[in-house]
Amino acid sequence: MDAAGPEVEEECAQYAGQFESGFITTQGGNLLCSKIIHLIHDNNVKSQVSKVLHECELMMYKSVAFPAIGTGQAGQNPAKVADSMLDAIVEFASKRSVQYLKEIKIVIFQTSMLGDFYKSMKKREDLGSSTAQSWMSMFKSLFGGKKQPTEKKKPMVLEKKVYVATFQICGESQKNVDATESWIKNLILKEQFENIISDELIENFDERQIKTLQDLQRTKQVTIQLENKVFPPCIKIFGISRDVWFVSVEVQNMIKKIKDTEEELSKAKLVYNLVEWRYPGSNDSFVAFDILTNMQLEDAKIAKKPHLTVKINKKNYKVDLNTLQASDDQGRTINIQRVPKNEGKL
Protein backbone atom coordinates (compact mmCIF):
# COMPACT_ATOMS: atom_id res chain seq x y z
CA MET A 1 0.00 0.00 0.00
CA ASP A 2 2.88 2.37 0.78
CA ALA A 3 4.33 1.81 -2.68
CA ALA A 4 0.96 2.56 -4.31
CA GLY A 5 0.82 6.01 -2.74
CA PRO A 6 -1.64 8.17 -0.76
CA GLU A 7 -4.21 8.44 -3.57
CA VAL A 8 -4.83 4.70 -3.45
CA GLU A 9 -5.14 4.82 0.34
CA GLU A 10 -7.78 7.58 0.05
CA GLU A 11 -9.69 5.60 -2.58
CA CYS A 12 -9.68 2.52 -0.34
CA ALA A 13 -11.05 4.64 2.51
CA GLN A 14 -13.90 5.80 0.26
CA TYR A 15 -14.87 2.21 -0.53
CA ALA A 16 -14.59 1.04 3.10
CA GLY A 17 -17.39 -1.39 3.89
CA GLN A 18 -18.24 -2.05 0.24
CA PHE A 19 -16.73 -5.52 0.10
CA GLU A 20 -19.80 -7.58 -0.86
CA SER A 21 -17.86 -9.30 -3.64
CA GLY A 22 -14.84 -9.92 -1.42
CA PHE A 23 -12.70 -7.24 -3.05
CA ILE A 24 -12.57 -3.62 -4.21
CA THR A 25 -10.83 -2.14 -7.23
CA THR A 26 -8.82 1.09 -7.21
CA GLN A 27 -6.52 2.92 -9.59
CA GLY A 28 -2.91 1.75 -9.85
CA GLY A 29 -1.40 4.79 -8.19
CA ASN A 30 2.40 4.72 -8.25
CA LEU A 31 2.55 1.02 -9.17
CA LEU A 32 3.22 -0.10 -12.74
CA CYS A 33 -0.35 -1.19 -13.40
CA SER A 34 -3.67 0.42 -14.34
CA LYS A 35 -5.81 -1.10 -11.56
CA ILE A 36 -5.32 -2.71 -8.14
CA ILE A 37 -7.76 -5.33 -6.85
CA HIS A 38 -7.71 -5.39 -3.03
CA LEU A 39 -8.83 -8.67 -1.40
CA ILE A 40 -10.40 -9.16 2.01
CA HIS A 41 -8.54 -11.81 4.01
CA ASP A 42 -10.01 -15.24 3.35
CA ASN A 43 -8.47 -18.66 3.93
CA ASN A 44 -10.02 -19.92 0.69
CA VAL A 45 -7.26 -18.85 -1.67
CA LYS A 46 -8.68 -20.73 -4.65
CA SER A 47 -11.99 -18.88 -4.35
CA GLN A 48 -10.22 -15.53 -4.12
CA VAL A 49 -8.13 -16.16 -7.22
CA SER A 50 -11.19 -17.35 -9.14
CA LYS A 51 -13.12 -14.19 -8.24
CA VAL A 52 -10.27 -11.96 -9.40
CA LEU A 53 -9.87 -13.85 -12.69
CA HIS A 54 -13.57 -13.60 -13.47
CA GLU A 55 -13.54 -9.89 -12.58
CA CYS A 56 -10.59 -9.34 -14.94
CA GLU A 57 -12.42 -11.13 -17.76
CA LEU A 58 -15.60 -9.16 -17.04
CA MET A 59 -13.70 -5.86 -17.13
CA MET A 60 -11.81 -7.00 -20.28
CA TYR A 61 -8.37 -6.73 -18.64
CA LYS A 62 -5.63 -8.35 -20.73
CA SER A 63 -3.27 -9.30 -17.90
CA VAL A 64 -3.16 -9.73 -14.13
CA ALA A 65 -0.38 -10.30 -11.57
CA PHE A 66 -0.88 -12.02 -8.23
CA PRO A 67 1.36 -12.16 -5.17
CA ALA A 68 1.59 -15.47 -3.31
CA ILE A 69 -1.73 -14.83 -1.53
CA GLY A 70 -1.85 -15.57 2.19
CA THR A 71 1.83 -16.44 2.63
CA GLY A 72 2.68 -13.18 4.41
CA GLN A 73 1.07 -12.16 7.68
CA ALA A 74 -1.71 -14.74 7.20
CA GLY A 75 0.95 -17.44 7.48
CA GLN A 76 -0.59 -19.97 5.10
CA ASN A 77 1.43 -22.95 3.85
CA PRO A 78 3.19 -21.94 0.59
CA ALA A 79 2.76 -25.40 -0.98
CA LYS A 80 -1.01 -25.38 -0.33
CA VAL A 81 -1.26 -21.80 -1.59
CA ALA A 82 0.59 -22.77 -4.79
CA ASP A 83 -1.79 -25.68 -5.39
CA SER A 84 -4.88 -23.54 -4.69
CA MET A 85 -3.77 -20.69 -6.95
CA LEU A 86 -2.82 -22.96 -9.83
CA ASP A 87 -6.04 -24.98 -9.44
CA ALA A 88 -8.02 -21.77 -9.88
CA ILE A 89 -5.95 -20.76 -12.92
CA VAL A 90 -6.35 -24.17 -14.57
CA GLU A 91 -10.13 -24.13 -14.09
CA PHE A 92 -10.38 -20.58 -15.43
CA ALA A 93 -8.16 -21.22 -18.47
CA SER A 94 -10.10 -24.36 -19.40
CA LYS A 95 -13.32 -22.39 -19.95
CA ARG A 96 -14.08 -21.64 -23.58
CA SER A 97 -15.79 -18.38 -22.62
CA VAL A 98 -12.45 -16.69 -21.80
CA GLN A 99 -11.81 -14.00 -24.44
CA TYR A 100 -9.88 -11.09 -22.99
CA LEU A 101 -7.50 -12.20 -20.22
CA LYS A 102 -4.37 -13.45 -21.98
CA GLU A 103 -1.60 -13.27 -19.38
CA ILE A 104 -1.56 -14.44 -15.75
CA LYS A 105 1.51 -13.95 -13.57
CA ILE A 106 2.37 -14.89 -10.02
CA VAL A 107 5.08 -12.66 -8.59
CA ILE A 108 7.09 -14.49 -5.93
CA PHE A 109 9.12 -12.16 -3.74
CA GLN A 110 10.37 -14.84 -1.32
CA THR A 111 12.77 -17.10 -3.19
CA SER A 112 12.24 -19.81 -0.57
CA MET A 113 8.76 -20.35 -2.08
CA LEU A 114 10.14 -20.85 -5.55
CA GLY A 115 10.31 -24.63 -5.18
CA ASP A 116 6.70 -24.91 -3.99
CA PHE A 117 5.28 -23.11 -7.02
CA TYR A 118 7.66 -24.86 -9.41
CA LYS A 119 6.66 -28.33 -8.14
CA SER A 120 2.98 -27.46 -8.28
CA MET A 121 3.29 -26.23 -11.86
CA LYS A 122 5.35 -29.23 -13.00
CA LYS A 123 2.82 -31.59 -11.40
CA ARG A 124 0.12 -30.18 -13.66
CA GLU A 125 2.35 -29.96 -16.71
CA ASP A 126 3.22 -33.67 -16.40
CA LEU A 127 -0.50 -34.53 -16.67
CA GLY A 128 -0.13 -33.78 -20.35
CA SER A 129 -3.81 -32.95 -20.88
CA SER A 130 -5.10 -30.35 -23.34
CA THR A 131 -6.39 -28.34 -20.38
CA ALA A 132 -2.95 -28.25 -18.82
CA GLN A 133 -1.43 -27.19 -22.13
CA SER A 134 -3.93 -24.33 -22.53
CA TRP A 135 -3.15 -22.72 -19.19
CA MET A 136 0.56 -23.48 -19.57
CA SER A 137 0.62 -21.20 -22.60
CA MET A 138 -0.89 -18.40 -20.49
CA PHE A 139 1.37 -18.99 -17.53
CA LYS A 140 4.66 -19.86 -19.23
CA SER A 141 6.29 -16.45 -18.89
CA LEU A 142 6.82 -16.99 -15.19
CA PHE A 143 9.07 -19.93 -16.03
CA GLY A 144 11.24 -18.27 -18.58
CA GLY A 145 8.80 -17.75 -21.44
CA LYS A 146 7.90 -19.86 -24.42
CA LYS A 147 10.64 -21.55 -26.35
CA GLN A 148 11.82 -19.37 -29.16
CA PRO A 149 11.52 -20.89 -32.62
CA THR A 150 14.74 -22.69 -33.39
CA GLU A 151 16.36 -23.40 -36.70
CA LYS A 152 14.81 -26.47 -38.24
CA LYS A 153 16.94 -29.47 -37.41
CA LYS A 154 18.33 -31.69 -40.10
CA PRO A 155 16.53 -35.04 -39.85
CA MET A 156 18.66 -37.65 -38.11
CA VAL A 157 19.02 -40.90 -40.04
CA LEU A 158 19.90 -44.15 -38.35
CA GLU A 159 21.64 -46.65 -40.60
CA LYS A 160 19.61 -49.78 -41.08
CA LYS A 161 21.13 -53.00 -39.89
CA VAL A 162 20.15 -56.00 -41.98
CA TYR A 163 21.67 -59.44 -41.63
CA VAL A 164 20.48 -62.14 -44.02
CA ALA A 165 20.67 -65.78 -43.06
CA THR A 166 19.84 -68.47 -45.61
CA PHE A 167 18.63 -71.92 -44.64
CA GLN A 168 18.72 -74.81 -47.12
CA ILE A 169 16.43 -77.60 -45.98
CA CYS A 170 16.68 -81.08 -47.45
CA GLY A 171 14.40 -83.95 -46.46
CA GLU A 172 12.91 -87.27 -47.46
CA SER A 173 9.56 -85.64 -48.24
CA GLN A 174 7.94 -82.25 -48.73
CA LYS A 175 6.06 -82.86 -45.49
CA ASN A 176 9.31 -83.15 -43.54
CA VAL A 177 10.75 -80.07 -45.23
CA ASP A 178 7.62 -78.03 -44.41
CA ALA A 179 7.70 -79.22 -40.78
CA THR A 180 11.34 -78.23 -40.44
CA GLU A 181 10.69 -74.82 -42.00
CA SER A 182 7.82 -74.24 -39.57
CA TRP A 183 10.01 -75.29 -36.63
CA ILE A 184 12.77 -72.86 -37.66
CA LYS A 185 10.28 -69.98 -38.07
CA ASN A 186 8.74 -70.64 -34.66
CA LEU A 187 12.18 -70.80 -33.08
CA ILE A 188 13.11 -67.44 -34.60
CA LEU A 189 9.83 -65.80 -33.59
CA LYS A 190 10.15 -67.19 -30.08
CA GLU A 191 13.44 -65.35 -29.61
CA GLN A 192 12.33 -62.15 -31.34
CA PHE A 193 10.79 -59.19 -29.56
CA GLU A 194 9.68 -55.67 -30.48
CA ASN A 195 9.38 -52.56 -28.33
CA ILE A 196 8.25 -49.07 -29.35
CA ILE A 197 9.19 -46.01 -27.31
CA SER A 198 7.27 -42.81 -28.10
CA ASP A 199 8.24 -39.46 -26.61
CA GLU A 200 8.24 -35.90 -27.98
CA LEU A 201 11.75 -35.40 -26.55
CA ILE A 202 13.10 -37.87 -29.13
CA GLU A 203 12.98 -35.00 -31.64
CA ASN A 204 15.75 -33.38 -29.57
CA PHE A 205 18.15 -36.26 -30.22
CA ASP A 206 21.33 -34.94 -31.81
CA GLU A 207 24.50 -36.52 -33.21
CA ARG A 208 25.52 -37.78 -29.76
CA GLN A 209 22.32 -39.75 -29.18
CA ILE A 210 22.31 -41.04 -32.78
CA LYS A 211 25.90 -42.29 -32.36
CA THR A 212 24.88 -44.06 -29.14
CA LEU A 213 21.99 -45.75 -30.95
CA GLN A 214 24.33 -46.81 -33.77
CA ASP A 215 26.79 -48.28 -31.26
CA LEU A 216 23.98 -50.18 -29.53
CA GLN A 217 22.74 -51.51 -32.86
CA ARG A 218 26.24 -52.66 -33.79
CA THR A 219 27.04 -54.37 -30.47
CA LYS A 220 23.62 -55.88 -29.66
CA GLN A 221 21.42 -58.26 -31.61
CA VAL A 222 18.84 -55.60 -32.44
CA THR A 223 17.60 -53.42 -35.27
CA ILE A 224 16.69 -49.84 -34.32
CA GLN A 225 14.38 -47.63 -36.36
CA LEU A 226 14.07 -43.92 -35.62
CA GLU A 227 10.68 -42.55 -36.71
CA ASN A 228 11.01 -38.77 -36.38
CA LYS A 229 8.43 -37.75 -39.00
CA VAL A 230 5.48 -38.73 -36.80
CA PHE A 231 4.22 -37.11 -33.61
CA PRO A 232 5.18 -37.98 -31.06
CA PRO A 233 8.37 -39.36 -32.64
CA CYS A 234 9.25 -42.91 -31.71
CA ILE A 235 12.05 -45.45 -31.67
CA LYS A 236 11.30 -49.03 -32.68
CA ILE A 237 13.59 -51.76 -31.40
CA PHE A 238 13.52 -55.30 -32.84
CA GLY A 239 15.66 -58.27 -31.95
CA ILE A 240 16.49 -60.80 -29.29
CA SER A 241 14.36 -60.09 -26.24
CA ARG A 242 17.17 -59.62 -23.72
CA ASP A 243 18.96 -57.15 -26.03
CA VAL A 244 15.71 -55.33 -26.85
CA TRP A 245 15.11 -54.72 -23.15
CA PHE A 246 18.71 -53.61 -22.61
CA VAL A 247 18.55 -51.10 -25.49
CA SER A 248 15.09 -49.92 -24.35
CA VAL A 249 16.47 -49.03 -20.92
CA GLU A 250 19.35 -47.12 -22.55
CA VAL A 251 16.93 -45.15 -24.74
CA GLN A 252 14.75 -44.30 -21.72
CA ASN A 253 17.86 -43.09 -19.90
CA MET A 254 18.76 -40.81 -22.83
CA ILE A 255 15.24 -39.36 -22.84
CA LYS A 256 15.35 -38.83 -19.06
CA LYS A 257 18.70 -37.02 -19.34
CA ILE A 258 17.24 -34.61 -21.92
CA LYS A 259 14.16 -34.06 -19.74
CA ASP A 260 16.28 -33.40 -16.65
CA THR A 261 18.39 -30.90 -18.59
CA GLU A 262 15.30 -29.04 -19.85
CA GLU A 263 13.76 -28.95 -16.36
CA GLU A 264 17.01 -27.61 -14.89
CA LEU A 265 17.11 -24.86 -17.53
CA SER A 266 13.44 -24.05 -16.88
CA LYS A 267 14.07 -23.70 -13.16
CA ALA A 268 17.22 -21.67 -13.82
CA LYS A 269 15.23 -19.22 -15.98
CA LEU A 270 12.65 -18.87 -13.23
CA VAL A 271 15.33 -18.13 -10.63
CA TYR A 272 16.88 -15.58 -12.99
CA ASN A 273 13.49 -13.83 -13.21
CA LEU A 274 13.62 -13.40 -9.42
CA VAL A 275 17.27 -12.64 -8.63
CA GLU A 276 20.46 -11.94 -10.57
CA TRP A 277 24.00 -12.70 -9.35
CA ARG A 278 26.82 -10.64 -10.84
CA TYR A 279 30.63 -10.51 -10.88
CA PRO A 280 32.94 -7.58 -11.75
CA GLY A 281 33.49 -6.85 -15.43
CA SER A 282 35.43 -4.07 -17.12
CA ASN A 283 35.19 -0.35 -16.42
CA ASP A 284 33.67 -0.80 -12.95
CA SER A 285 30.67 -2.62 -14.43
CA PHE A 286 29.17 -5.93 -13.31
CA VAL A 287 28.37 -8.93 -15.48
CA ALA A 288 25.56 -11.42 -14.84
CA PHE A 289 26.52 -15.05 -14.23
CA ASP A 290 25.12 -17.62 -16.66
CA ILE A 291 21.67 -18.81 -15.60
CA LEU A 292 22.83 -22.21 -14.28
CA THR A 293 25.53 -20.68 -12.07
CA ASN A 294 22.99 -18.03 -11.03
CA MET A 295 20.64 -20.81 -9.86
CA GLN A 296 23.43 -22.68 -8.06
CA LEU A 297 24.40 -19.55 -6.14
CA GLU A 298 20.79 -18.81 -5.16
CA ASP A 299 20.12 -22.42 -4.14
CA ALA A 300 23.26 -22.43 -2.01
CA LYS A 301 22.23 -19.19 -0.31
CA ILE A 302 18.71 -20.49 0.40
CA ALA A 303 20.26 -23.68 1.83
CA LYS A 304 22.47 -21.44 4.04
CA LYS A 305 25.68 -22.94 2.71
CA PRO A 306 28.73 -20.88 3.69
CA HIS A 307 30.66 -21.29 0.42
CA LEU A 308 30.26 -22.33 -3.21
CA THR A 309 32.92 -22.74 -5.90
CA VAL A 310 32.05 -21.21 -9.29
CA LYS A 311 33.89 -20.34 -12.48
CA ILE A 312 34.52 -16.72 -13.41
CA ASN A 313 36.36 -16.13 -16.68
CA LYS A 314 37.39 -19.83 -16.74
CA LYS A 315 38.98 -19.61 -13.26
CA ASN A 316 37.70 -21.22 -10.07
CA TYR A 317 36.52 -18.85 -7.36
CA LYS A 318 35.33 -19.76 -3.86
CA VAL A 319 32.35 -17.56 -3.03
CA ASP A 320 31.62 -16.62 0.59
CA LEU A 321 27.83 -16.43 0.56
CA ASN A 322 27.72 -14.32 3.71
CA THR A 323 30.18 -11.59 2.72
CA LEU A 324 29.57 -11.94 -1.05
CA GLN A 325 33.30 -12.05 -1.69
CA ALA A 326 34.97 -14.52 -4.05
CA SER A 327 38.63 -15.67 -3.90
CA ASP A 328 40.65 -17.48 -6.56
CA ASP A 329 43.49 -19.99 -6.05
CA GLN A 330 46.07 -17.18 -5.86
CA GLY A 331 44.20 -15.37 -3.08
CA ARG A 332 42.81 -12.60 -5.28
CA THR A 333 39.48 -11.41 -3.86
CA ILE A 334 36.62 -9.75 -5.73
CA ASN A 335 33.17 -8.59 -4.68
CA ILE A 336 30.07 -10.10 -6.25
CA GLN A 337 26.47 -8.85 -6.20
CA ARG A 338 23.08 -10.40 -5.56
CA VAL A 339 20.34 -8.22 -7.10
CA PRO A 340 16.67 -9.19 -6.43
CA LYS A 341 14.27 -8.37 -9.26
CA ASN A 342 10.61 -7.23 -9.26
CA GLU A 343 10.88 -5.64 -5.83
CA GLY A 344 8.20 -3.01 -5.41
CA LYS A 345 6.46 -4.09 -8.63
CA LEU A 346 3.19 -5.96 -9.02
Side-chain angles (χ1 to χ4, degrees):
M1 185 66 75
D2 292 339
E7 292 182 359
V8 174
E9 290 188 26
E10 292 176 3
E11 195 172 357
C12 285
Q14 292 176 7
Y15 291 124
Q18 301 179 28
F19 285 93
E20 293 84 359
S21 58
F23 61 85
I24 62 170
T25 303
T26 67
Q27 299 301 314
N30 296 331
L31 298 182
L32 300 179
C33 60
S34 60
K35 302 286 184 180
I36 303 174
I37 297 178
H38 306 262
L39 295 170
I40 299 177
H41 172 63
D42 186 341
N43 288 328
N44 192 338
V45 172
K46 181 180 176 181
S47 174
Q48 288 187 305
V49 173
S50 296
K51 288 179 181 178
V52 171
L53 293 174
H54 285 95
E55 175 70 7
C56 290
E57 179 67 14
L58 181 65
M59 301 305 295
M60 296 185 289
Y61 299 150
K62 293 182 179 180
S63 64
V64 62
F66 291 92
I69 296 173
T71 57
Q73 294 181 352
Q76 294 200 46
N77 183 289
K80 291 183 179 179
V81 168
D83 286 340
S84 296
M85 295 186 71
L86 297 184
D87 282 345
I89 292 171
V90 169
E91 289 183 8
F92 175 80
S94 65
K95 295 182 178 180
R96 295 183 179 179
S97 59
V98 177
Q99 299 181 33
Y100 302 103
L101 188 58
K102 302 298 182 183
E103 186 178 33
I104 302 170
K105 292 184 178 181
I106 296 179
V107 181
I108 306 170
F109 295 104
Q110 303 90 339
T111 53
S112 59
M113 296 181 190
L114 180 64
D116 296 312
F117 279 84
Y118 182 79
K119 289 176 184 177
S120 185
M121 183 175 179
K122 287 301 297 178
K123 182 168 59 178
R124 287 158 178 79
E125 183 181 11
D126 290 341
L127 293 176
S129 66
S130 59
T131 298
Q133 293 301 320
S134 67
W135 75 267
M136 277 285 291
S137 66
M138 297 178 70
F139 200 61
K140 202 75 172 179
S141 61
L142 176 62
F143 285 77
K146 290 186 177 180
K147 291 182 180 178
Q148 296 299 319
T150 55
E151 184 179 347
K152 192 172 183 180
K153 293 182 179 179
K154 182 180 179 181
M156 294 294 176
V157 179
L158 192 63
E159 294 180 4
K160 290 187 176 181
K161 175 183 179 182
V162 179
Y163 294 129
V164 178
T166 303
F167 293 87
Q168 292 183 341
I169 305 171
C170 302
E172 296 178 352
S173 66
Q174 185 63 43
K175 181 179 179 180
N176 289 342
V177 171
D178 291 343
T180 303
E181 180 184 358
S182 178
W183 177 81
I184 291 174
K185 287 181 178 179
N186 289 334
L187 187 64
I188 293 173
L189 291 174
K190 185 178 179 181
E191 287 296 320
Q192 293 297 303
F193 192 77
E194 173 185 344
N195 189 31
I196 300 176
I197 300 173
S198 299
D199 196 296
E200 61 184 79
L201 292 178
I202 291 174
E203 70 177 359
N204 293 335
F205 277 24
D206 58 21
E207 288 85 354
R208 294 169 298 174
Q209 284 82 29
I210 297 300
K211 184 179 183 304
T212 299
L213 292 176
Q214 290 172 339
D215 291 342
L216 288 169
Q217 185 172 241
R218 186 175 60 254
T219 58
K220 300 295 179 182
Q221 296 298 313
V222 296
T223 297
I224 303 174
Q225 293 182 3
L226 176 60
E227 303 285 346
N228 52 12
K229 293 184 179 180
V230 298
F231 186 85
C234 66
I235 293 176
K236 297 180 180 179
I237 308 165
F238 312 86
I240 298 175
S241 57
R242 66 174 182 272
D243 286 350
V244 168
W245 286 118
F246 178 87
V247 172
S248 296
V249 171
E250 292 298 308
V251 171
Q252 294 287 8
N253 288 337
M254 286 191 283
I255 293 173
K256 184 178 183 302
K257 188 174 182 180
I258 292 174
K259 182 179 180 181
D260 291 343
T261 299
E262 288 196 350
E263 288 185 352
E264 186 178 31
L265 286 173
S266 180
K267 183 182 176 183
K269 290 175 182 177
L270 173 57
V271 173
Y272 184 75
N273 286 339
L274 297 173
V275 63
E276 181 177 286
W277 289 76
R278 302 170 179 172
Y279 62 89
S282 58
N283 300 323
D284 296 325
S285 63
F286 277 80
V287 180
F289 283 96
D290 65 86
I291 61 173
L292 290 177
T293 303
N294 188 81
M295 178 180 68
Q296 292 165 3
L297 285 164
E298 187 63 20
D299 285 347
K301 183 171 179 60
I302 291 174
K304 297 183 179 179
K305 293 182 179 180
H307 301 95
L308 181 71
T309 299
V310 300
K311 281 193 177 294
I312 300 176
N313 297 326
K314 299 181 180 181
K315 293 178 62 177
N316 286 331
Y317 278 80
K318 186 176 182 180
V319 179
D320 186 318
L321 295 168
N322 293 317
T323 64
L324 298 187
Q325 290 186 326
S327 303
D328 63 10
D329 297 335
Q330 284 73 44
R332 178 184 173 227
T333 300
I334 60 175
N335 293 319
I336 65 173
Q337 295 179 344
R338 177 184 179 274
V339 183
K341 298 182 177 181
N342 294 324
E343 288 192 347
K345 298 179 182 180
L346 184 58

